[in-house]
Amino acid sequence: MRFLHTSDWHLGRTLHGVDLLEHQSAYLDHLVDVVRSEDVDAVLVAGDVYDRAIPPVAAVELLNETLVRLAESTHVVITPGNHDSATRLGFAAPLFRDRLKVRTRVENVGTPVEIPSADGENSALVYALPYLDPDMVRHRLAGPVLDDDGAPVLPARSHEAVAAAAMGRVRGDLASRRTRGARLPAVLMAHAFVVGGEASESERDIRVGGVDSVPLGVLAGLDYLALGHLHGGQRIGRDFDIDERGPVARYAGSPLAFSFSEMHHSKSSVLVSMDAEGVRDLQLVGAPVSRRLSEAAGTMEELLSRTFDSQKQDWVRVHVTDDVRPTQLHRRIKERFPHALVIQHQPSQSAVGQHSRAISSSQSPVDVSAEFVKDVSGAVPTDAEAAVLLTACEAALASERSA
């Protein structure tokens, strides 16, 4: 059987103000072509389908058209990520056709989607975990153990604890099925920051209690881990080798670069071949590059020379290094690089005492706030002040969440 693992489409996202929907549409066209040419049994979309809880209408229309096309040729399993609204993404999911499964309910994590092969001779189990926000799902993952007051014991307030509680249900169901019948290959879809993963600037911070990661061992027990959240395609844990034991875990990564920290990424989807014993082969299927991201640095004279001709059609971050700011800097750079997204004057001799730096969405708001306190007061926050900052930041993040 063959699965195509993808994630982090972020439909509706912009890049420094540029609408990416046309480029995202090109990737989805490519995805449909791969499904048809490679006889894919199921497409697994591991979260962050949309870029925000209430996506723009055009993004919803694009997703609808894409799912109709995919479902004509294969099965599709979708789970929400931390950018999605699970309720909105899963609206009317019970009414969807058999080939489309949108798994958004935490209570269903222990019930797999059974994917049949095209010839009906084989099948595989796909356990789909929605993004597990500890504050929102702890009470829904309470175990059978009761406390002294007779109430169910809740998992601890951490990503690791809620993931472990969910995996307890997954492993219990899988063990029961494999005891009763033949061994079926099993896949886990999860949207999480797994320990060992390399982050980019464009992922949203998901820390709760100061911790954002889940150890790989917590998610072990299945044949393939189809991970979402990190935008760089990468393996986690061991290399793929059919003679080794243990799960094969990969982030598919985002199909487009969403920040300049990703300009050297090779974007792709993962084509996974499996049989009754587990993963037999992995192939990375390169995603189309509609427009490259690159950087250009030099004096105005250098930037206007033939040296940078190859970057003229790129999305460029331009650093102008003249000691004196050139006249009409932005106009001249935009004429040279029509798709320049960032234009900065950075003299080779930096101004003394300049401490400004960029802040990305992946940085913890608590850390940014603590640095601000240090800059203003001249001292790092005390433990008590740090606790106040943590509480305030988490309250602000919680208020932004959509059901």
Side-chain angles (χ1 to χ4, degrees):
M1 297 189 65
R2 311 187 88 186
F3 298 93
L4 190 61
H5 167 205
T6 178
S7 70
D8 296 274
W9 294 354
H10 288 276
L11 301 181
R13 191 166 188 140
T14 60
L15 177 65
H16 293 277
V18 175
D19 188 346
L20 296 177
L21 206 62
E22 177 185 349
H23 305 278
Q24 292 169 326
S25 179
Y27 166 74
L28 295 176
D29 287 342
H30 153 82
L31 198 70
V32 172
D33 290 341
V34 172
V35 165
R36 293 171 177 169
S37 64
E38 297 292 341
D39 295 324
V40 171
D41 293 293
V43 174
L44 310 179
V45 189
D48 282 353
V49 179
Y50 292 125
D51 190 56
R52 52 187 181 272
I54 304 178
V57 172
V60 177
E61 291 175 342
L62 176 59
L63 178 63
N64 181 67
E65 294 166 2
T66 300
L67 294 180
V68 169
R69 295 167 67 198
L70 287 173
E72 290 172 350
S73 304
T74 190
H75 292 79
V76 184
V77 184
I78 297 177
T79 55
N82 58 295
H83 281 249
D84 298 307
S85 163
T87 301
R88 292 187 178 91
L89 185 65
F91 171 73
L95 304 178
F96 293 161
R97 67 185 74 180
D98 290 341
R99 285 192 165 195
L100 174 61
K101 301 294 183 184
V102 182
R103 303 304 293 268
T104 62
R105 290 180 54 79
V106 174
E107 292 80 4
N108 293 338
V109 294
T111 303
V113 177
E114 189 162 347
I115 304 294
S117 61
D119 59 11
E121 296 294 322
N122 303 291
S123 61
L125 303 175
V126 177
Y127 292 88
L129 271 59
Y131 169 65
L132 301 174
D133 183 309
D135 288 334
M136 302 193 67
V137 304
R138 290 173 63 213
H139 65 287
R140 297 160 69 183
L141 289 170
V145 179
L146 305 179
D147 61 20
D148 293 339
D149 297 324
V153 175
L154 300 181
R157 185 175 177 264
S158 72
H159 288 280
E160 179 177 352
V162 295
M167 288 304 298
R169 300 186 184 190
V170 170
R171 294 192 190 98
D173 182 84
L174 180 60
S176 174
R177 290 171 184 270
R178 285 181 171 173
T179 299
R180 297 196 309 265
R183 186 190 193 280
L184 296 178
V187 176
L188 177 74
M189 298 172 62
H191 194 89
F193 191 164
V194 177
V195 173
E198 183 177 344
S200 306
E201 292 179 356
S202 55
E203 294 113 11
R204 182 179 295 170
D205 183 81
I206 59 171
R207 299 184 204 199
V208 172
V211 179
D212 59 1
S213 57
V214 176
L216 179 59
V218 171
L219 303 177
L222 291 85
D223 300 305
Y224 180 71
L225 306 186
L227 301 174
H229 180 58
L230 299 185
H231 292 172
Q234 57 195 285
R235 69 173 178 84
I236 301 293
R238 74 175 179 89
D239 281 315
F240 169 68
D241 187 323
I242 61 175
D243 295 324
E244 292 188 51
R245 295 186 179 274
V248 178
R250 284 200 68 91
Y251 281 100
S254 60
L256 274 68
F258 296 129
S259 71
F260 280 95
S261 68
E262 301 173 48
M263 64 183 174
H264 298 303
H265 287 183
S266 295
K267 299 298 187 180
S268 62
S269 306
V270 188
L271 187 60
V272 186
S273 298
M274 305 183 73
D275 62 16
E277 298 304 314
V279 177
R280 304 306 296 175
D281 185 49
L282 283 178
Q283 299 176 45
L284 299 183
V285 182
V289 180
S290 301
R291 195 180 302 281
R292 295 188 311 167
L293 265 71
S294 65
E295 285 190 305
T299 64
M300 181 63 78
E301 181 180 358
E302 291 168 340
L303 291 168
L304 298 181
S305 72
R306 297 290 301 275
T307 303
F308 294 91
D309 279 358
S310 63
Q311 295 174 254
K312 184 174 181 179
Q313 297 303 318
D314 292 357
W315 279 319
V316 192
R317 180 165 61 186
V318 182
H319 305 282
V320 183
T321 61
D322 297 74
D323 290 337
V324 178
R325 182 183 178 89
T327 58
Q328 299 183 319
L329 183 148
H330 277 75
R331 182 188 64 78
R332 295 163 70 187
I333 291 298
K334 288 293 285 186
E335 288 177 352
R336 178 69 173 99
F337 303 101
H339 305 286
L341 299 180
V342 179
I343 302 173
Q344 298 173 324
H345 179 221
Q346 293 184 328
S348 56
Q349 300 296 323
S350 298
V352 177
Q354 182 176 344
H355 299 291
S356 63
R357 65 180 182 83
I359 295 173
S360 71
S361 60
S362 65
Q363 290 178 270
S364 165
V366 178
D367 293 342
V368 175
S369 300
E371 290 180 10
F372 175 76
V373 171
K374 180 181 177 182
D375 287 344
V376 172
S377 68
V380 297
T382 64
D383 290 345
E385 291 169 338
V388 170
L389 289 173
L390 177 62
T391 300
C393 289
E394 290 186 345
L397 290 173
S399 69
E400 294 180 354
R401 296 188 188 108
S402 177

